[in-house]
Amino acid sequence: MSDEAHAFVPGHITGFFTVDRGDDPIETGSRGGGLALSDGVSVTVSRSVETEITLNGDDIEMEAVERVLDALRTTATVTAETPLPLGSGFGVSGGLALGTALAANAVFGHGLSYNELVTIAHGAEVQAGSGLGDVVAQARGGVPLRLEPGGPQFNYLDAIPARSRVEYVTLGELSTADVVGGDTETLTAAGERALSTVVKEPKLSTFMQAARQFSREADLLTPEVKTVIDDVAEAGGDAAMAMLGETVVALGTGLSDAGYDATVCAIYPPGATIEDEG
């Protein structure tokens, strides 16, 4: 045990997904595919009488983090830093939840395994309504394909064995709860088709094509995002919409070549990890 511990969780952009409800939060989740990013969430957990959460220096309330600490029967100060925007499809809430679970386990000596901590964070995200598949993907890293939904006891993951420079531009926010809380039959059917396409040909180019098709078929593609994707295509690049956010992600120099002032990162093969224990 120590006074504080630090964890790093990669960001995660979802290209396509389903909504799969189970009888229990850890059975609930999504199938789909995404990119784990080198831009992520750095989380520090330290001992405290009362729980306090800050993100980039600002006090915030985040239900998923509070649920993680409640599950661990712990109060703590959670300090997070990230270059990623909140609510724009980068898995920031999932990163905070998973980073909190990993770091709190180290600080308070709970002695839980990696999968147990991922399960706690996944269940917290599901119950908070802020995500269905980010946590398990962020734990895996790389280009994870979620073939079965839920936490580690229930899901089945594979991956596309590839790395790439990644660029992104954020235009605004979309509410995860609003999208996954409504009628998701059409969305899930589109996600199943996209996943099937990528499983048959697990390449980054196929992933991007499937992601573009999913955003259209699920009726999530906004005019602003479509314009950017079309601009990248005209410049010879490969881009798609990040779920769920008004965000465009491109491989290589796709956005830069199209004239956009993009943020640059890369696919991040390792999953979430403890950085040190203070």
Side-chain angles (χ1 to χ4, degrees), residues 6 15 35 70 77-78 82 145 159 170 193 203 227 246 277:
H6 312 278
L35 308 175
D70 287 346
T77 295
V78 178
T82 183
L145 301 175
T170 298
R193 288 191 293 271
K203 299 178 180 179
T227 295
E246 290 256 11
E277 297 186 9

Side-chain angles (χ1 to χ4, degrees), residues 97-143:
L98 181 53
T100 297
L102 291 168
N105 185 62
V107 170
F108 296 99
H110 292 300
L112 298 177
S113 73
Y114 191 83
N115 275 356
E116 288 173 324
L117 296 167
V118 174
T119 297
I120 289 171
H122 172 76
E125 264 263 279
V126 169
Q127 289 178 297
S130 49
L132 291 172
D134 283 325
V135 168
V136 296
Q138 289 166 304
R140 173 66 183 253
V143 189

